[in-house]
Amino acid sequence: MSKWLSALVFVIFIILSGCIQSGMEGDKPPKTMIQIGEISYETKLGTYCWSSNGQGECVDTAGPVELLKGKKPIEVRPGEVVTLKMKYKPLPNKVHLNQVKNEKVIEVPVVNYRFTAPTEKGIYFYSYGVWWMDKKDKNVSNGDAFYAFALEVI
């Protein structure tokens, strides 16, 4: 077995071990919504590692552009505040948001589960990654998920 493959197997084992130890609830990561003004919209669950009843599962999917192919983007005004919502306790303690436009990927700052929509008109795809990092071992994830959504700045 190559060193690269051995390292990959080890990483997957660590991730699954963390998920199995965590006792996260539900058979999949919780639904995540985005809220613009008073209206909430669903996101699409992508890649994740999760466990329930002692069984860990990791699922790998395409990125946000491919996951949302054929789906109408959510209309938003330039610079509008977008809130990322999840009804789950505990909330993830690590989050990361990437924006994709014309194959260019940039990281978008998220503060208190909020970010600002772009000011330039167009369609933007997002990958919202969340992790439930172990409080005792900072290198262990107790579960993670990536959610995809698209905004159209009008």
Side-chain angles (χ1 to χ4, degrees):
M1 188 180 303
S2 75
K3 289 181 181 180
W4 182 87
L5 187 56
S6 295
L8 179 62
V9 168
F10 178 73
V11 168
I12 290 171
F13 172 77
I14 294 298
I15 290 170
L16 284 174
S17 296
C19 288
I20 291 168
Q21 294 171 10
S22 73
M24 304 297 279
E25 293 183 20
D27 60 349
K28 287 188 179 179
K31 285 187 178 183
T32 294
M33 310 287 282
I34 63 167
Q35 185 173 334
I36 302 167
E38 298 298 317
I39 303 173
S40 292
Y41 304 89
E42 286 191 22
T43 62
K44 179 147 180 86
L45 179 61
T47 297
Y48 66 88
C49 279
W50 201 254
S51 80
S52 63
N53 302 321
Q55 295 294 319
E57 176 181 46
C58 288
V59 173
D60 191 18
T61 66
V65 176
E66 295 82 12
L67 274 177
L68 299 171
K69 198 170 200 157
K71 185 171 171 142
K72 186 175 178 350
I74 300 159
E75 292 183 354
V76 63
R77 293 187 312 264
E80 194 162 15
V81 173
V82 179
T83 304
L84 300 151
K85 303 207 117 222
M86 179 183 292
K87 290 183 180 179
Y88 187 83
K89 298 290 181 199
L91 286 172
N93 52 8
K94 180 179 176 187
V95 301
H96 186 84
L97 183 65
N98 279 337
Q99 176 191 89
V100 181
K101 184 176 185 207
N102 300 327
E103 298 183 19
K104 183 180 176 188
V105 179
I106 63 167
E107 184 176 349
V108 176
V110 175
V111 178
N112 294 325
Y113 300 98
R114 291 181 173 87
F115 71 97
T116 304
T119 54
E120 185 180 315
K121 289 183 179 185
I123 296 175
Y124 300 82
F125 293 88
Y126 291 87
S127 175
Y128 178 51
V130 299
W131 293 262
W132 287 265
M133 299 305 293
D134 191 88
K135 291 180 180 174
K136 293 178 184 170
D137 187 345
K138 66 179 182 174
N139 297 317
V140 173
S141 170
N142 291 321
D144 61 73
F146 289 83
Y147 301 89
F149 60 94
L151 299 178
E152 181 174 9
V153 178
I154 53 173

